[in-house]
Amino acid sequence: TPNMISSLTSLGFEVHVQSGSGSASGFTDDEFAHAGATVVSDLPSGLDVLLRVTPPTDDAIALVRPGGAVIGFLDPATAADRYQHHPDRHFVAIEAIPRTTLAQAMDALSSQATSAGYAAVLLGATRLPKFMPMLVTAAGTVAPAKVLVLGVGVAGLQAIATARRLGAIVFAYDIRPETKEQVESLGARFVEAPTQEMDEGGYARAVDEETAAKQREVLAAVVADSDLIVTTAQVPGRTAPRLVDRSMVEAMEAGSVVVDMAAGSGGNVEGSQPDQEIDIDGVLVLGPTDLASRVAADSSRMYARNLLEVVTRMVVDGDLVVDPNDAVVGPALVGGGNDE
């Protein structure tokens, strides 16, 4: 974004921005140019660093000089083999940056999950044929909507906070017991279903069938009583856990809405499909995969800051240094020349 250009130039970089790349987020070519970037129709070759949102094509990788780096969401779980074909370049997958205090400012998964959780609730609210808050009117009192958030990571917490700001009664559940306090601190009610401790990466462990059955038994009644459900449970590189089966959706009232944020990675909700709207007995099941893009300006600002922090860490005495032993950058290196 334009406000990051001066920080990059102060590190010694000459910054090239592809024309029109910021237009959908409200950032014009003139703003980039005024900030000190060179706006070009096609990026030049010989780049030291290529900053991306999505995984690069081979043509894009070819623009990076030997020893240079590509940084962005690189999908290492499925695309790592392709990067092996470019052993003279470095690839920093920002989704693999450790989620530690040291790397907090570089945590793009969290920044984009913040946007997605916010956008998911707004999407659901606009499709729900009810008011979110309680309203006292001359025509009578309108009861508030009941919202259930499944998965209390960054996206889930933002979804809870957003639904609460809109005046809904909010319930939430996560298998990790420590999330109960977080849920209640936001004014929501924690669903008392089975819990278990996290794995070493800070994610929920896969549960056995007995625990899953108990989960579904408790959640079924809450699901049936909800007007809007937002599911957020995802683990990078793994299939999303199934939290809501079709029978649970069928038990909801007609007109209810489900937003499955995990539809692109297998789905938390049986029957959801990526970027499709599915009607299940009058219940609208949405599977958006572009939620962060629906608040593109602020998503871009946060992501740009994440990238800037990574680049800043990699510049030492004016030179680009890709250190596989670095506590932050090292774990995020995939394929290419990163197997020292």
Side-chain angles (χ1 to χ4, degrees):
T1 52
N3 62 322
M4 296 297 154
I5 301 301
S6 62
S7 297
L8 290 167
T9 55
S10 69
L11 290 172
F13 289 102
E14 179 182 340
V15 182
H16 296 262
V17 175
Q18 195 164 26
S19 178
S21 58
S23 58
S25 302
F27 305 116
T28 66
D29 287 351
D30 286 344
E31 288 178 285
F32 283 109
H34 182 73
T38 300
V39 178
V40 295
S41 57
D42 295 304
L43 292 175
S45 60
L47 300 173
D48 294 289
V49 177
L50 175 63
L51 302 179
R52 297 278 303 184
V53 177
T54 56
T57 62
D58 286 334
D59 287 344
I61 293 172
L63 298 176
V64 179
R65 67 164 176 79
V70 180
I71 307 173
F73 281 105
L74 304 185
D75 192 16
T78 60
D81 288 347
R82 186 158 64 85
Y83 304 134
Q84 297 285 0
H85 298 305
H86 302 277
D88 54 352
R89 274 87 168 175
H90 300 278
F91 299 89
V92 183
I94 199 160
E95 63 265 57
I97 292 286
R99 307 186 86 174
T100 62
T101 301
L102 178 64
Q104 194 169 16
M106 309 172 210
D107 187 358
L109 285 177
S110 290
S111 73
Q112 301 310 290
T114 296
S115 295
Y118 171 82
V121 172
L122 295 188
L123 172 62
T126 59
R127 302 304 299 273
L128 191 68
K130 296 182 176 183
F131 291 123
M132 290 287 275
M134 181 181 76
L135 295 180
V136 180
T137 76
T141 299
V142 179
K146 294 180 180 179
V147 176
L148 173 62
V149 177
L150 297 178
V152 187
V154 175
L157 290 170
Q158 187 59 233
I160 292 167
T162 302
R164 287 282 296 146
R165 292 187 195 105
L166 292 175
I169 296 173
V170 183
F171 299 83
Y173 171 71
D174 192 294
I175 196 169
R176 300 168 296 166
E178 62 273 15
T179 60
K180 179 178 180 179
E181 183 178 352
Q182 297 171 336
V183 166
E184 293 175 345
S185 72
L186 291 173
R189 306 176 191 180
F190 190 78
V191 178
E192 298 294 344
T195 60
Q196 68 178 25
E197 298 299 326
M198 299 183 294
D199 64 18
E200 293 180 357
Y203 294 100
R205 299 177 187 273
V207 301
D208 57 37
E209 184 50 41
E210 181 180 356
T211 302
K214 290 179 180 178
Q215 275 183 339
R216 289 192 292 268
E217 182 180 354
V218 175
L219 289 175
V222 185
V223 168
D225 196 40
S226 299
D227 300 303
L228 169 62
I229 296 176
V230 177
T231 68
T232 74
Q234 300 184 74
V235 179
R238 305 185 204 170
T239 301
R242 180 61 47 83
L243 303 177
V244 179
D245 61 31
R246 188 180 181 93
S247 65
M248 294 163 72
V249 176
E250 291 172 345
M252 298 175 71
E253 287 190 4
S256 300
V257 176
V258 177
V259 181
D260 186 353
M261 292 178 59
S265 57
N268 297 144
V269 181
E270 184 178 4
S272 71
Q273 295 294 328
D275 299 315
Q276 293 188 32
E277 300 182 1
I278 307 296
D279 186 297
I280 300 178
D281 280 4
V283 177
L284 181 62
V285 179
L286 306 174
T289 61
D290 64 342
L291 287 167
S293 294
R294 299 183 184 218
V295 281
D298 284 330
S299 296
S300 297
R301 289 188 182 98
M302 289 189 292
Y303 184 57
R305 170 61 65 177
N306 298 144
L307 293 176
L308 174 63
E309 294 293 335
V310 174
V311 173
T312 300
R313 188 175 182 87
M314 294 170 62
V315 174
V316 180
D317 296 330
D319 294 322
L320 180 70
V321 177
V322 183
D323 181 4
N325 297 314
D326 183 84
V328 175
V329 176
L333 295 173
V334 295
N338 305 315
D339 298 324
E340 291 94 336

